mmCIF file of all heavy atoms in Angstrom:
data_model
loop_
_atom_site.group_PDB
_atom_site.id
_atom_site.type_symbol
_atom_site.label_atom_id
_atom_site.label_comp_id
_atom_site.label_asym_id
_atom_site.label_seq_id
_atom_site.Cartn_x
_atom_site.Cartn_y
_atom_site.Cartn_z
ATOM 1 N N GLN W 166 8.740 -1.804 3.938
ATOM 2 C CA GLN W 166 7.611 -1.582 3.194
ATOM 3 C C GLN W 166 7.910 -1.660 1.693
ATOM 4 O O GLN W 166 9.114 -1.532 1.329
ATOM 5 C CB GLN W 166 6.950 -0.137 3.502
ATOM 6 C CG GLN W 166 6.700 0.098 4.963
ATOM 7 C CD GLN W 166 6.510 1.607 5.162
ATOM 8 O OE1 GLN W 166 7.255 2.391 4.557
ATOM 9 N NE2 GLN W 166 5.731 1.916 6.155
ATOM 10 N N ILE W 167 6.918 -1.875 0.881
ATOM 11 C CA ILE W 167 7.026 -1.682 -0.626
ATOM 12 C C ILE W 167 5.862 -0.815 -0.963
ATOM 13 O O ILE W 167 4.831 -0.811 -0.380
ATOM 14 C CB ILE W 167 6.962 -3.025 -1.347
ATOM 15 C CG1 ILE W 167 5.664 -3.741 -1.145
ATOM 16 C CG2 ILE W 167 8.155 -3.942 -0.989
ATOM 17 C CD1 ILE W 167 5.452 -4.936 -2.069
ATOM 18 N N PRO W 168 6.144 0.071 -2.030
ATOM 19 C CA PRO W 168 5.050 1.080 -2.333
ATOM 20 C C PRO W 168 4.006 0.401 -3.164
ATOM 21 O O PRO W 168 4.155 -0.525 -3.900
ATOM 22 C CB PRO W 168 5.866 2.048 -3.203
ATOM 23 C CG PRO W 168 7.030 1.321 -3.816
ATOM 24 C CD PRO W 168 7.372 0.157 -2.828
ATOM 25 N N ILE W 169 2.797 1.134 -3.126
ATOM 26 C CA ILE W 169 1.681 0.819 -3.970
ATOM 27 C C ILE W 169 1.649 2.049 -4.989
ATOM 28 O O ILE W 169 1.529 3.219 -4.533
ATOM 29 C CB ILE W 169 0.424 0.613 -3.269
ATOM 30 C CG1 ILE W 169 0.477 -0.485 -2.277
ATOM 31 C CG2 ILE W 169 -0.787 0.676 -4.133
ATOM 32 C CD1 ILE W 169 -0.742 -0.681 -1.417
ATOM 33 N N ARG W 170 1.525 1.774 -6.200
ATOM 34 C CA ARG W 170 1.559 2.773 -7.279
ATOM 35 C C ARG W 170 0.275 2.865 -8.023
ATOM 36 O O ARG W 170 -0.269 1.793 -8.367
ATOM 37 C CB ARG W 170 2.741 2.628 -8.266
ATOM 38 C CG ARG W 170 4.109 2.771 -7.663
ATOM 39 C CD ARG W 170 5.170 2.558 -8.790
ATOM 40 N NE ARG W 170 6.532 2.745 -8.171
ATOM 41 C CZ ARG W 170 7.235 3.847 -8.141
ATOM 42 N NH1 ARG W 170 6.646 4.943 -8.565
ATOM 43 N NH2 ARG W 170 8.431 3.884 -7.593
ATOM 44 N N GLU W 171 -0.173 4.016 -8.250
ATOM 45 C CA GLU W 171 -1.401 4.206 -9.053
ATOM 46 C C GLU W 171 -1.104 5.405 -10.133
ATOM 47 O O GLU W 171 -0.759 6.448 -9.677
ATOM 48 C CB GLU W 171 -2.608 4.663 -8.340
ATOM 49 C CG GLU W 171 -3.129 3.521 -7.407
ATOM 50 C CD GLU W 171 -4.301 3.952 -6.628
ATOM 51 O OE1 GLU W 171 -4.882 5.090 -6.823
ATOM 52 O OE2 GLU W 171 -4.616 3.177 -5.630
ATOM 53 N N ASN W 172 -1.080 5.029 -11.360
ATOM 54 C CA ASN W 172 -0.773 6.060 -12.412
ATOM 55 C C ASN W 172 0.629 6.593 -12.190
ATOM 56 O O ASN W 172 0.840 7.846 -12.254
ATOM 57 C CB ASN W 172 -1.790 7.168 -12.475
ATOM 58 C CG ASN W 172 -3.199 6.551 -12.842
ATOM 59 O OD1 ASN W 172 -3.293 5.663 -13.639
ATOM 60 N ND2 ASN W 172 -4.234 7.161 -12.242
ATOM 61 N N ASP W 173 1.553 5.748 -11.821
ATOM 62 C CA ASP W 173 2.907 6.209 -11.713
ATOM 63 C C ASP W 173 3.173 7.058 -10.541
ATOM 64 O O ASP W 173 4.180 7.726 -10.351
ATOM 65 C CB ASP W 173 3.519 6.885 -12.887
ATOM 66 C CG ASP W 173 5.021 6.830 -13.019
ATOM 67 O OD1 ASP W 173 5.618 5.722 -12.559
ATOM 68 O OD2 ASP W 173 5.705 7.665 -13.470
ATOM 69 N N ARG W 174 2.219 7.049 -9.563
ATOM 70 C CA ARG W 174 2.370 7.784 -8.302
ATOM 71 C C ARG W 174 2.178 6.853 -7.133
ATOM 72 O O ARG W 174 1.362 5.929 -7.226
ATOM 73 C CB ARG W 174 1.480 8.986 -8.155
ATOM 74 C CG ARG W 174 1.585 10.120 -9.171
ATOM 75 C CD ARG W 174 0.613 11.245 -8.906
ATOM 76 N NE ARG W 174 0.769 11.983 -7.641
ATOM 77 C CZ ARG W 174 1.718 12.832 -7.440
ATOM 78 N NH1 ARG W 174 2.444 13.307 -8.433
ATOM 79 N NH2 ARG W 174 1.888 13.407 -6.241
ATOM 80 N N ILE W 175 3.019 7.024 -6.129
ATOM 81 C CA ILE W 175 2.900 6.190 -5.006
ATOM 82 C C ILE W 175 1.742 6.727 -4.070
ATOM 83 O O ILE W 175 1.716 7.827 -3.641
ATOM 84 C CB ILE W 175 4.305 6.096 -4.145
ATOM 85 C CG1 ILE W 175 5.354 5.497 -4.946
ATOM 86 C CG2 ILE W 175 4.110 5.447 -2.769
ATOM 87 C CD1 ILE W 175 6.679 5.473 -4.412
ATOM 88 N N THR W 176 0.814 5.868 -3.840
ATOM 89 C CA THR W 176 -0.419 6.210 -3.129
ATOM 90 C C THR W 176 -0.568 5.383 -1.822
ATOM 91 O O THR W 176 -1.560 5.612 -1.076
ATOM 92 C CB THR W 176 -1.616 5.981 -3.952
ATOM 93 O OG1 THR W 176 -1.638 4.564 -4.388
ATOM 94 C CG2 THR W 176 -1.630 6.877 -5.226
ATOM 95 N N GLY W 177 0.275 4.450 -1.556
ATOM 96 C CA GLY W 177 0.286 3.700 -0.376
ATOM 97 C C GLY W 177 1.401 2.758 -0.187
ATOM 98 O O GLY W 177 2.333 2.908 -0.957
ATOM 99 N N PHE W 178 1.288 1.778 0.723
ATOM 100 C CA PHE W 178 2.294 0.873 0.913
ATOM 101 C C PHE W 178 1.847 -0.496 1.460
ATOM 102 O O PHE W 178 0.756 -0.550 2.017
ATOM 103 C CB PHE W 178 3.301 1.458 1.934
ATOM 104 C CG PHE W 178 2.820 1.689 3.359
ATOM 105 C CD1 PHE W 178 2.961 0.645 4.238
ATOM 106 C CD2 PHE W 178 2.108 2.734 3.653
ATOM 107 C CE1 PHE W 178 2.511 0.867 5.496
ATOM 108 C CE2 PHE W 178 1.534 2.909 4.903
ATOM 109 C CZ PHE W 178 1.796 1.954 5.832
ATOM 110 N N VAL W 179 2.626 -1.508 1.304
ATOM 111 C CA VAL W 179 2.394 -2.736 1.874
ATOM 112 C C VAL W 179 3.434 -2.950 3.023
ATOM 113 O O VAL W 179 4.643 -2.791 2.845
ATOM 114 C CB VAL W 179 2.547 -3.980 0.926
ATOM 115 C CG1 VAL W 179 2.376 -5.261 1.667
ATOM 116 C CG2 VAL W 179 1.582 -3.784 -0.274
ATOM 117 N N ASP W 180 2.969 -3.218 4.264
ATOM 118 C CA ASP W 180 3.868 -3.490 5.342
ATOM 119 C C ASP W 180 4.254 -4.928 5.353
ATOM 120 O O ASP W 180 3.502 -5.834 5.487
ATOM 121 C CB ASP W 180 3.020 -3.183 6.691
ATOM 122 C CG ASP W 180 4.032 -3.179 7.941
ATOM 123 O OD1 ASP W 180 4.682 -4.240 8.052
ATOM 124 O OD2 ASP W 180 4.011 -2.185 8.662
ATOM 125 N N LEU W 181 5.489 -5.134 5.143
ATOM 126 C CA LEU W 181 6.109 -6.455 4.911
ATOM 127 C C LEU W 181 5.986 -7.321 6.176
ATOM 128 O O LEU W 181 5.843 -8.691 6.079
ATOM 129 C CB LEU W 181 7.507 -6.426 4.321
ATOM 130 C CG LEU W 181 7.603 -5.797 3.067
ATOM 131 C CD1 LEU W 181 9.101 -5.658 2.652
ATOM 132 C CD2 LEU W 181 6.886 -6.566 1.940
ATOM 133 N N ALA W 182 6.133 -6.735 7.338
ATOM 134 C CA ALA W 182 6.070 -7.536 8.527
ATOM 135 C C ALA W 182 4.614 -7.884 8.932
ATOM 136 O O ALA W 182 4.308 -8.970 9.307
ATOM 137 C CB ALA W 182 6.753 -6.755 9.724
ATOM 138 N N LEU W 183 3.759 -6.911 8.732
ATOM 139 C CA LEU W 183 2.310 -7.107 9.022
ATOM 140 C C LEU W 183 1.541 -7.944 7.900
ATOM 141 O O LEU W 183 0.496 -8.548 8.147
ATOM 142 C CB LEU W 183 1.594 -5.873 9.201
ATOM 143 C CG LEU W 183 1.664 -5.144 10.570
ATOM 144 C CD1 LEU W 183 1.060 -3.850 10.436
ATOM 145 C CD2 LEU W 183 0.973 -6.010 11.613
ATOM 146 N N GLU W 184 2.141 -7.876 6.685
ATOM 147 C CA GLU W 184 1.400 -8.432 5.560
ATOM 148 C C GLU W 184 0.143 -7.772 5.308
ATOM 149 O O GLU W 184 -0.947 -8.416 4.989
ATOM 150 C CB GLU W 184 1.201 -9.921 5.634
ATOM 151 C CG GLU W 184 2.620 -10.735 5.580
ATOM 152 C CD GLU W 184 2.408 -12.231 5.642
ATOM 153 O OE1 GLU W 184 2.040 -12.694 6.641
ATOM 154 O OE2 GLU W 184 2.518 -12.857 4.595
ATOM 155 N N ARG W 185 0.004 -6.444 5.438
ATOM 156 C CA ARG W 185 -1.116 -5.698 5.101
ATOM 157 C C ARG W 185 -0.838 -4.408 4.372
ATOM 158 O O ARG W 185 0.326 -3.928 4.357
ATOM 159 C CB ARG W 185 -1.748 -5.228 6.455
ATOM 160 C CG ARG W 185 -2.152 -6.413 7.408
ATOM 161 C CD ARG W 185 -2.628 -5.826 8.858
ATOM 162 N NE ARG W 185 -3.765 -4.977 8.664
ATOM 163 C CZ ARG W 185 -4.397 -4.313 9.666
ATOM 164 N NH1 ARG W 185 -3.901 -4.425 10.880
ATOM 165 N NH2 ARG W 185 -5.510 -3.569 9.528
ATOM 166 N N ALA W 186 -1.899 -3.984 3.581
ATOM 167 C CA ALA W 186 -1.715 -2.923 2.727
ATOM 168 C C ALA W 186 -2.439 -1.668 3.239
ATOM 169 O O ALA W 186 -3.363 -1.853 3.971
ATOM 170 C CB ALA W 186 -2.108 -3.249 1.320
ATOM 171 N N PHE W 187 -1.982 -0.470 2.925
ATOM 172 C CA PHE W 187 -2.562 0.768 3.463
ATOM 173 C C PHE W 187 -2.551 1.827 2.287
ATOM 174 O O PHE W 187 -1.583 1.888 1.472
ATOM 175 C CB PHE W 187 -1.798 1.300 4.589
ATOM 176 C CG PHE W 187 -1.755 0.362 5.908
ATOM 177 C CD1 PHE W 187 -0.802 -0.626 5.932
ATOM 178 C CD2 PHE W 187 -2.725 0.478 6.830
ATOM 179 C CE1 PHE W 187 -0.759 -1.446 6.990
ATOM 180 C CE2 PHE W 187 -2.768 -0.319 7.918
ATOM 181 C CZ PHE W 187 -1.833 -1.351 8.042
ATOM 182 N N HIS W 188 -3.549 2.624 2.287
ATOM 183 C CA HIS W 188 -3.779 3.729 1.295
ATOM 184 C C HIS W 188 -3.501 5.040 2.038
ATOM 185 O O HIS W 188 -4.164 5.292 3.132
ATOM 186 C CB HIS W 188 -5.021 3.720 0.585
ATOM 187 C CG HIS W 188 -5.268 4.644 -0.459
ATOM 188 N ND1 HIS W 188 -5.576 5.929 -0.281
ATOM 189 C CD2 HIS W 188 -4.995 4.494 -1.814
ATOM 190 C CE1 HIS W 188 -5.635 6.551 -1.402
ATOM 191 N NE2 HIS W 188 -5.313 5.818 -2.355
ATOM 192 N N TYR W 189 -2.699 5.896 1.539
ATOM 193 C CA TYR W 189 -2.367 7.137 2.114
ATOM 194 C C TYR W 189 -3.573 8.070 2.180
ATOM 195 O O TYR W 189 -4.430 8.071 1.290
ATOM 196 C CB TYR W 189 -1.267 7.876 1.524
ATOM 197 C CG TYR W 189 0.151 7.364 1.622
ATOM 198 C CD1 TYR W 189 1.056 7.166 0.540
ATOM 199 C CD2 TYR W 189 0.611 6.901 2.882
ATOM 200 C CE1 TYR W 189 2.235 6.680 0.672
ATOM 201 C CE2 TYR W 189 1.804 6.302 3.041
ATOM 202 C CZ TYR W 189 2.637 6.220 1.836
ATOM 203 O OH TYR W 189 3.929 5.694 2.018
ATOM 204 N N ARG W 190 -3.727 8.918 3.282
ATOM 205 C CA ARG W 190 -4.777 9.910 3.365
ATOM 206 C C ARG W 190 -4.081 11.144 3.921
ATOM 207 O O ARG W 190 -3.450 11.007 4.893
ATOM 208 C CB ARG W 190 -5.968 9.513 4.241
ATOM 209 C CG ARG W 190 -6.763 8.307 3.689
ATOM 210 C CD ARG W 190 -8.047 8.073 4.506
ATOM 211 N NE ARG W 190 -7.704 7.721 5.870
ATOM 212 C CZ ARG W 190 -8.665 7.645 6.836
ATOM 213 N NH1 ARG W 190 -9.968 7.821 6.550
ATOM 214 N NH2 ARG W 190 -8.398 7.351 8.018
ATOM 215 N N VAL W 191 -4.319 12.291 3.242
ATOM 216 C CA VAL W 191 -3.627 13.500 3.695
ATOM 217 C C VAL W 191 -3.956 13.879 5.111
ATOM 218 O O VAL W 191 -5.119 14.041 5.446
ATOM 219 C CB VAL W 191 -3.841 14.683 2.716
ATOM 220 C CG1 VAL W 191 -3.260 15.992 3.236
ATOM 221 C CG2 VAL W 191 -3.491 14.381 1.320
ATOM 222 N N GLY W 192 -2.887 14.030 5.927
ATOM 223 C CA GLY W 192 -3.081 14.388 7.314
ATOM 224 C C GLY W 192 -3.803 13.441 8.208
ATOM 225 O O GLY W 192 -4.146 13.741 9.345
ATOM 226 N N LYS W 193 -4.104 12.282 7.727
ATOM 227 C CA LYS W 193 -4.813 11.231 8.589
ATOM 228 C C LYS W 193 -4.133 9.926 8.563
ATOM 229 O O LYS W 193 -3.158 9.727 7.683
ATOM 230 C CB LYS W 193 -6.206 11.047 8.034
ATOM 231 C CG LYS W 193 -7.143 12.361 7.990
ATOM 232 C CD LYS W 193 -8.518 12.031 7.413
ATOM 233 C CE LYS W 193 -9.342 13.289 7.379
ATOM 234 N NZ LYS W 193 -10.699 12.957 6.791
ATOM 235 N N ALA W 194 -4.560 9.092 9.331
ATOM 236 C CA ALA W 194 -3.946 7.651 9.458
ATOM 237 C C ALA W 194 -4.242 6.983 8.099
ATOM 238 O O ALA W 194 -5.352 7.277 7.487
ATOM 239 C CB ALA W 194 -4.580 6.913 10.514
ATOM 240 N N SER W 195 -3.415 6.232 7.561
ATOM 241 C CA SER W 195 -3.558 5.524 6.379
ATOM 242 C C SER W 195 -4.690 4.505 6.401
ATOM 243 O O SER W 195 -4.940 3.930 7.505
ATOM 244 C CB SER W 195 -2.339 4.745 5.970
ATOM 245 O OG SER W 195 -1.197 5.680 5.709
ATOM 246 N N GLU W 196 -5.380 4.275 5.368
ATOM 247 C CA GLU W 196 -6.606 3.351 5.444
ATOM 248 C C GLU W 196 -6.200 2.046 4.999
ATOM 249 O O GLU W 196 -5.590 1.823 3.956
ATOM 250 C CB GLU W 196 -7.626 3.948 4.460
ATOM 251 C CG GLU W 196 -8.886 3.168 4.308
ATOM 252 C CD GLU W 196 -9.817 3.700 3.270
ATOM 253 O OE1 GLU W 196 -9.413 4.566 2.435
ATOM 254 O OE2 GLU W 196 -10.963 3.186 3.248
ATOM 255 N N PRO W 197 -6.531 1.037 5.746
ATOM 256 C CA PRO W 197 -6.238 -0.353 5.467
ATOM 257 C C PRO W 197 -7.005 -0.806 4.134
ATOM 258 O O PRO W 197 -8.156 -0.512 4.019
ATOM 259 C CB PRO W 197 -6.693 -1.257 6.663
ATOM 260 C CG PRO W 197 -6.748 -0.286 7.741
ATOM 261 C CD PRO W 197 -7.198 1.101 7.172
ATOM 262 N N ILE W 198 -6.321 -1.456 3.208
ATOM 263 C CA ILE W 198 -6.866 -2.026 1.993
ATOM 264 C C ILE W 198 -6.348 -3.396 1.699
ATOM 265 O O ILE W 198 -5.435 -3.883 2.443
ATOM 266 C CB ILE W 198 -6.540 -1.067 0.823
ATOM 267 C CG1 ILE W 198 -5.079 -0.931 0.570
ATOM 268 C CG2 ILE W 198 -7.173 0.303 1.040
ATOM 269 C CD1 ILE W 198 -4.697 -0.200 -0.605
ATOM 270 N N ASP W 199 -6.885 -4.116 0.855
ATOM 271 C CA ASP W 199 -6.441 -5.331 0.390
ATOM 272 C C ASP W 199 -5.088 -5.237 -0.364
ATOM 273 O O ASP W 199 -4.960 -4.157 -1.102
ATOM 274 C CB ASP W 199 -7.494 -6.167 -0.449
ATOM 275 C CG ASP W 199 -8.705 -6.475 0.307
ATOM 276 O OD1 ASP W 199 -8.567 -6.741 1.534
ATOM 277 O OD2 ASP W 199 -9.771 -6.659 -0.355
ATOM 278 N N ILE W 200 -4.158 -6.092 -0.210
ATOM 279 C CA ILE W 200 -2.961 -6.101 -1.043
ATOM 280 C C ILE W 200 -3.354 -6.276 -2.512
ATOM 281 O O ILE W 200 -3.957 -7.198 -2.920
ATOM 282 C CB ILE W 200 -1.983 -7.179 -0.579
ATOM 283 C CG1 ILE W 200 -1.587 -6.939 0.872
ATOM 284 C CG2 ILE W 200 -0.746 -7.136 -1.573
ATOM 285 C CD1 ILE W 200 -0.666 -8.137 1.457
ATOM 286 N N PRO W 201 -2.980 -5.246 -3.300
ATOM 287 C CA PRO W 201 -3.303 -5.427 -4.688
ATOM 288 C C PRO W 201 -2.794 -6.650 -5.327
ATOM 289 O O PRO W 201 -1.639 -7.177 -5.079
ATOM 290 C CB PRO W 201 -2.585 -4.078 -5.387
ATOM 291 C CG PRO W 201 -2.434 -3.242 -4.236
ATOM 292 C CD PRO W 201 -2.181 -4.023 -2.961
ATOM 293 N N SER W 202 -3.610 -7.245 -6.196
ATOM 294 C CA SER W 202 -3.207 -8.631 -6.823
ATOM 295 C C SER W 202 -1.910 -8.589 -7.573
ATOM 296 O O SER W 202 -1.222 -9.504 -7.580
ATOM 297 C CB SER W 202 -4.352 -9.112 -7.555
ATOM 298 O OG SER W 202 -4.708 -8.135 -8.572
ATOM 299 N N ASP W 203 -1.679 -7.485 -8.238
ATOM 300 C CA ASP W 203 -0.568 -7.432 -8.965
ATOM 301 C C ASP W 203 0.802 -7.227 -8.180
ATOM 302 O O ASP W 203 1.817 -7.199 -8.748
ATOM 303 C CB ASP W 203 -0.641 -6.192 -10.087
ATOM 304 C CG ASP W 203 -0.838 -4.898 -9.371
ATOM 305 O OD1 ASP W 203 -1.208 -4.765 -8.203
ATOM 306 O OD2 ASP W 203 -0.598 -3.841 -10.081
ATOM 307 N N LEU W 204 0.612 -6.990 -6.843
ATOM 308 C CA LEU W 204 1.717 -6.827 -6.009
ATOM 309 C C LEU W 204 2.007 -8.096 -5.200
ATOM 310 O O LEU W 204 2.981 -8.146 -4.465
ATOM 311 C CB LEU W 204 1.655 -5.680 -5.021
ATOM 312 C CG LEU W 204 1.919 -4.257 -5.630
ATOM 313 C CD1 LEU W 204 1.684 -3.272 -4.476
ATOM 314 C CD2 LEU W 204 3.381 -4.244 -6.046
ATOM 315 N N SER W 205 1.209 -9.145 -5.293
ATOM 316 C CA SER W 205 1.266 -10.297 -4.411
ATOM 317 C C SER W 205 2.640 -10.920 -4.502
ATOM 318 O O SER W 205 3.315 -11.319 -3.520
ATOM 319 C CB SER W 205 0.136 -11.310 -4.825
ATOM 320 O OG SER W 205 -1.090 -10.787 -4.468
ATOM 321 N N ALA W 206 3.037 -11.162 -5.854
ATOM 322 C CA ALA W 206 4.355 -11.847 -5.953
ATOM 323 C C ALA W 206 5.503 -10.971 -5.476
ATOM 324 O O ALA W 206 6.394 -11.502 -4.796
ATOM 325 C CB ALA W 206 4.564 -12.107 -7.495
ATOM 326 N N ASP W 207 5.605 -9.658 -5.718
ATOM 327 C CA ASP W 207 6.501 -8.808 -5.218
ATOM 328 C C ASP W 207 6.501 -8.732 -3.635
ATOM 329 O O ASP W 207 7.597 -8.770 -3.028
ATOM 330 C CB ASP W 207 6.298 -7.367 -5.806
ATOM 331 C CG ASP W 207 6.698 -7.282 -7.212
ATOM 332 O OD1 ASP W 207 7.252 -8.212 -7.744
ATOM 333 O OD2 ASP W 207 6.282 -6.211 -7.807
ATOM 334 N N GLU W 208 5.336 -8.710 -3.100
ATOM 335 C CA GLU W 208 5.176 -8.700 -1.641
ATOM 336 C C GLU W 208 5.829 -9.979 -1.019
ATOM 337 O O GLU W 208 6.557 -9.895 -0.066
ATOM 338 C CB GLU W 208 3.802 -8.466 -1.209
ATOM 339 C CG GLU W 208 3.542 -8.336 0.237
ATOM 340 C CD GLU W 208 3.452 -9.687 0.982
ATOM 341 O OE1 GLU W 208 3.163 -10.653 0.373
ATOM 342 O OE2 GLU W 208 3.696 -9.626 2.300
ATOM 343 N N ALA W 209 5.539 -11.135 -1.682
ATOM 344 C CA ALA W 209 6.063 -12.401 -1.153
ATOM 345 C C ALA W 209 7.634 -12.419 -1.231
ATOM 346 O O ALA W 209 8.306 -12.844 -0.169
ATOM 347 C CB ALA W 209 5.474 -13.501 -1.771
#
């Protein structure tokens, strides 16, 4: 995985094998989201 940061805090991750992004939710399954555009190059 690689982390997704918002305001210098890690709030989710990109699964490199799945090529999908997820946003953390306290005590729940992470919510699928689009891979942030500013992470596309790093993800690749």
Side-chain angles (χ1 to χ4, degrees):
Q166 304 161 331
I167 60 172
I169 297 174
R170 294 180 182 270
E171 295 179 11
N172 299 323
D173 203 33
R174 293 183 66 85
I175 294 177
T176 58
F178 65 94
V179 178
D180 189 307
L181 297 175
L183 278 175
E184 294 185 286
R185 297 176 60 187
F187 298 86
H188 187 273
Y189 290 137
R190 296 189 298 174
V191 176
K193 299 179 181 179
S195 299
E196 180 183 13
I198 59 173
D199 293 332
I200 297 177
S202 57
D203 60 344
L204 279 181
S205 296
D207 288 344
E208 187 273 337

